[in-house]
Amino acid sequence: MNDSDGSKAAMSPEEQKVYQAKQKHRAAIMAGLLFFLVVLFYFITFVKINSSVS
Amino acid sequence: MTTASTSSYKLASAQDLFALTKPRVMTLVIFTAICGMLAAPGTIHPVIGFTAILAISLGAGASAALNQWYEHDIDAVMKRTASRPLPAGRMERETALHFGVGLSVFSVLLMGVAVNWLSAAILAFSIFFYAVVYTIWLKRSTPQNIVIGGAAGAFPPVIGWAAVTGDVTAMPVLLFAIIFFWTPPHFWALALFVNSDYSKAGIPMMPVVAGRQSTRRQAFAYSLILAISAIAPFTFGMTGSVYGIVAIVLSIAFVLLSLRVGLSKTEDPAAMSAEKHLFSFSIIYLFVLFGALVADRMVFA
């Protein structure tokens, strides 16, 4: 923990729960987005290679 | 062990990050970009076309995030915008800035790598134009803010066109002109009946600075230029009769509604039915006009 963190008040257990739920939700969405981008880039690469071959 | 701070407690939710992109405004951006793409001569692979629309949407979302980052003080005093994530205190300003810059860079790179670098360059310029020229420079300094800033919203069909053809000809420039000249009567009609909100925020909107009568006259003048721009593609033989008939009928209706606004003298926002009608019709006008352009291309292709 750094100095700037130390100067701020700690969260209550309820606030921490809300914070962690928010973090979990964001992480799940980020995982979904990354998976979507992997699939998208796969198809983009496929289309680009195909068009350059033909 | 780490202890979360009160600052960290402001961790933006996914919903608030999404709200930062102004999804409702984005629908018009996506629609006009798709129309620009479908109206362009030539074909584009569906995967690349989808990627182009995605990049345009992300770019529009990035502009909106940067706009809200800069305008958090204005948004806080306006009833319409006070519940946005930043003025409502649900998000740190830095989060909006990082989100906006990150999304801008990603959208431009995605467009450049997957589609072509001309459309990526136009997308980059449109983000810069909206975030810097409109939001930071013009909005707070001149009552012409809407006129010049409206150019940012006029880029999507040009980008869509450039994504397909790799160039920019007279037709996408006319599509740009249609949205550019549509913006003043559309926004001024809104600003006329929500005048008090803009005054409170200290934004030099035309009705606040030049008065309602001058704004009404200018909205009418712009509607005439809009009508000429909308009918021009048909006049110059760039489109068929499907678009031509729709453009003529819609533009006559738009000019008549603007004339009603121009002749109106009312100062009571509640009684401004002409302004409210023009505002509602202007949204339908743009959707139907661009829809007709695509239908025309399908019929005469």
Side-chain angles (χ1 to χ4, degrees), chain B residues 60-71:
Chain B
S63 308
L66 292 171
N67 171 275
Q68 288 182 60
W69 161 74
Y70 191 76
E71 292 190 344

Side-chain angles (χ1 to χ4, degrees), chain B residues 6 29 71 87 97 122 137 156 163 170 174 177 184 199 209 255 262 271 276 294:
Chain B
T6 48
V29 169
E71 292 190 344
L97 177 64
I122 305 171
W137 178 30
L174 281 173
S199 325
V209 177
V255 169
K276 287 172 188 170
V294 174

Side-chain angles (χ1 to χ4, degrees), chain A residues 20-47:
Chain A
Q20 281 166 347
K22 232 183 229 183
Q23 241 181 349
K24 213 172 164 185
H25 187 230
R26 270 176 55 156
I29 289 176
M30 187 55 87
L33 283 175
L34 286 174
F35 178 73
F36 166 75
L37 286 175
V38 167
V39 174
L40 180 67
F41 275 92
Y42 169 78
F43 280 113
I44 291 169
T45 310
F46 189 76
V47 170

Side-chain angles (χ1 to χ4, degrees), chain B residues 55 108 157 172:
Chain B
V108 172

Side-chain angles (χ1 to χ4, degrees), chain B residues 147-237:
Chain B
V147 180
I148 306 158
F155 280 111
V158 183
I159 302 169
W161 183 287
V164 176
T165 62
D167 61 15
V168 175
T169 53
M171 185 62 195
V173 172
L174 281 173
L175 297 180
F176 177 93
I178 290 169
I179 302 179
F180 182 72
F181 292 119
W182 166 88
T183 308
H186 168 76
F187 274 105
W188 283 339
L190 175 72
L192 278 164
F193 61 86
V194 291
N195 198 353
S196 53
D197 230 12
Y198 282 114
S199 325
K200 214 165 81 181
I203 304 288
M205 288 298 279
M206 196 58 85
V208 181
V209 177
R212 285 190 167 119
Q213 286 317 109
S214 170
T215 307
R216 286 179 172 120
R217 280 194 299 273
Q218 290 187 62
F220 174 64
Y222 274 105
S223 77
L224 294 175
I225 308 172
L226 168 66
I228 295 166
S229 309
I231 298 166
F234 173 64
T235 313
F236 293 125

